[in-house]
Amino acid sequence: MVARRRLGRRFGWLWAAYAVSTFGTRLAFDAFALIAILVLHAGPAEVSVLAAAGLAVGAVVAVPLGPWVEFRRKRPVMVAMDLTRFVALMSVPAAYALGLLGFVQLLVVSVVVGAADIAFNAAGGAYLKAIVRPEDLVVASGRFESTNWTATVLGPPLGTAAIGFFGPVLTVVTDAVSHLLSAAGIRAIGGHEPRPVRAGTKEVRLRFGGLFEGWRYILAHPALRPLFLNTVLVSGLIMATSPLLAVLMLGDLGFAPWQYGLAFGLPCVGGIIGSRLAPRLVARFGRHRVMLTAGTLRACWSLGPAFVRPGVAGLVLVIVVEFGLITCMGVFNPVFAAYRLDRTATDRVARTLSAWSVTSKATVAVMTGLWGLLAGITGPRVAIAVAGLLMLLTPFLLPRHDHTPHHERDLARSPT
């Protein structure tokens, strides 16, 4: 079967490292917000600043990291970013134990971790392209996606329970240790990784203009440009409405916290299903057709939560809508990730992925703030409806034509 292809020892270690760190991060879901509320007695404004500013500033800090990562061996960069996250996160329980923990420290740590996340993912994407054959990229990306959704299903409930029993900083310790274990797994890959070669003329360009090379490359590329605009807008609209839906369900409609958790935890199973289906669908229908179809279908669900009502029917509506959205995302994301890597030149992967991630995180931060203002004027239900209507326009930004050469399409559809 396509999804059971053996991708080699190096991929196995990389996947294991990703799984450990992802589960650790999902266990610590919203840990900083809970610490700010429970330990520092922060109000809604401070918690919002922590979420938005950490995301936005972390993205800005990460801008010069893309060119820096591009011309370095990727495994040492990944190890360094894992160790950076470990040290930054461990400073929180250390300060808490000494009675020195403050809001500014949480903000600084969130910025450092956010920037390290971007650099790690850029290096990881470039390394994945180097160790996996092009025809196996969808399978490899599907395994990462399946792991991500599995961790999303299991992590937050277990993390919340752990906070209830052991206090608010335990999950931060777990997250920190997961990055340490990830660094050990990446080190265990072993083997020689050649240092990327850059010509002397590129030194100056890297120093002065290379910061924006990722964006220039994306916007000039006929396949990447529409995908870039589509994915950035979609993620921004989804994340901008997430807190509004929480306010609507937990405040206006009176749902219990366990019902809210069920409404968003149970549908994550759809992500696992979708990511498992993705390689099979690509093998049968082709990568571009699957990406276009799944990308279109995922835009059709976000209007639904604007019509949620109190009671069981409202809860079922949210579960069905989220399940449909997440299943489509589970199919789309690994196909998109493989397509993006395949369409990006090898010597530009890190800069391209960094620019993509920086833009996405900054857009989420900005749109979250804008939709918060809109909800303050119109109410959360209207703001969610506006985002849902805009989502219906996003499929028009998907690439309408397949830019993959014919011989590569045939190779990608091969079941072996």
Side-chain angles (χ1 to χ4, degrees):
M1 295 296 289
V2 174
R4 295 181 181 177
R5 286 182 188 165
R6 296 181 63 86
L7 302 184
R9 174 183 173 278
R10 291 183 296 175
F11 174 80
W13 276 111
L14 183 65
W15 187 19
Y18 175 82
V20 169
S21 63
T22 300
F23 271 94
T25 299
R26 293 297 180 269
L27 280 170
F29 179 74
D30 274 351
F32 277 20
L34 291 173
I35 291 173
I37 294 168
L38 299 176
V39 177
L40 304 179
H41 308 293
E46 290 175 299
V47 174
S48 298
V49 167
L50 181 62
L55 199 64
V57 178
V60 172
V61 170
V63 169
L65 293 179
W68 179 79
V69 170
E70 193 76 79
F71 298 106
R72 281 161 178 80
R73 294 184 178 94
K74 303 306 182 286
R75 283 198 300 122
V77 170
M78 288 189 283
V79 171
M81 294 303 106
D82 267 334
L83 295 179
T84 299
R85 290 185 285 190
F86 169 73
V87 172
L89 289 167
M90 283 302 295
S91 72
V92 173
Y96 175 77
L98 296 173
L100 301 175
L101 184 62
F103 181 80
V104 172
Q105 181 180 353
L106 287 181
L107 187 58
V108 171
V109 171
S110 68
V111 169
V112 171
V113 171
D117 285 343
I118 292 174
F120 180 94
N121 292 334
Y127 187 69
L128 179 66
K129 181 170 182 175
I131 65 172
V132 173
R133 296 178 303 173
E135 62 269 26
D136 288 331
L137 281 174
V138 172
V139 176
S141 299
R143 291 177 185 176
F144 285 125
E145 186 73 9
S146 178
T147 300
N148 178 58
W149 286 114
T150 302
T152 303
V153 171
L154 300 177
L158 293 175
T160 303
I163 288 174
F165 282 110
F166 303 108
V169 299
L170 177 66
T171 56
V172 178
V173 174
T174 304
D175 190 15
V177 172
S178 75
H179 292 300
L180 188 63
L181 294 175
S182 172
I186 292 168
R187 286 279 296 170
I189 293 174
H192 175 69
E193 182 184 354
R195 186 180 182 88
V197 178
R198 61 179 173 186
T201 56
K202 289 187 178 180
E203 289 276 359
V204 176
R205 203 166 106 188
L206 175 64
R207 197 170 297 165
F208 296 104
L211 297 179
F212 305 102
E213 184 62 30
W215 283 284
R216 282 197 293 265
Y217 183 77
I218 292 168
L219 295 177
H221 198 291
L224 296 182
R225 181 176 60 253
L227 268 180
F228 174 70
L229 297 174
N230 173 272
T231 56
V232 167
L233 182 57
V234 167
S235 63
L237 289 170
I238 291 174
M239 297 305 296
T241 56
S242 180
L244 305 184
L245 190 53
V247 171
L248 179 63
M249 292 183 67
L250 296 173
D252 298 353
L253 301 180
F255 284 99
W258 71 266
Q259 292 174 311
Y260 176 77
L262 180 67
F264 291 94
L266 186 60
C268 290
V269 175
I272 302 172
I273 296 171
S275 60
R276 297 287 293 175
L277 286 174
R280 294 173 173 86
L281 292 173
V282 168
R284 182 169 181 178
F285 300 107
R287 184 167 56 186
H288 182 263
R289 183 181 298 178
V290 172
M291 184 173 65
L292 186 61
T293 303
T296 300
L297 290 176
R298 86 184 198 274
C300 299
W301 301 92
S302 293
L303 190 59
F307 301 98
V308 66
R309 291 289 183 265
V312 175
L315 183 63
V316 171
L317 173 64
V318 175
I319 290 174
V320 170
V321 166
E322 291 297 318
F323 181 83
L325 172 63
I326 292 173
T327 302
C328 293
M329 290 172 61
V331 175
F332 177 85
N333 287 348
V335 181
F336 148 70
Y339 186 87
R340 180 176 59 179
L341 282 177
D342 200 29
R343 296 296 92 201
T344 304
T346 301
D347 63 343
R348 296 172 185 265
V349 172
R351 283 172 288 179
T352 299
L353 296 184
S354 291
W356 210 298
S357 186
V358 165
T359 306
S360 181
K361 289 179 182 294
T363 301
V364 167
V366 171
M367 293 186 71
T368 299
L370 290 176
W371 254 256
L373 292 174
L374 178 62
I377 298 171
T378 65
R381 195 183 295 277
V382 173
I384 292 170
V386 171
L389 290 172
L390 290 175
M391 277 284 284
L392 295 175
L393 301 177
T394 59
F396 294 102
L397 295 174
L398 290 167
R400 314 310 297 180
H401 304 288
D402 190 357
H403 296 272
T404 306
H406 289 286
H407 73 278
E408 291 187 22
R409 294 181 213 170
D410 296 338
L411 191 60
R413 295 178 189 180
S414 172
T416 57

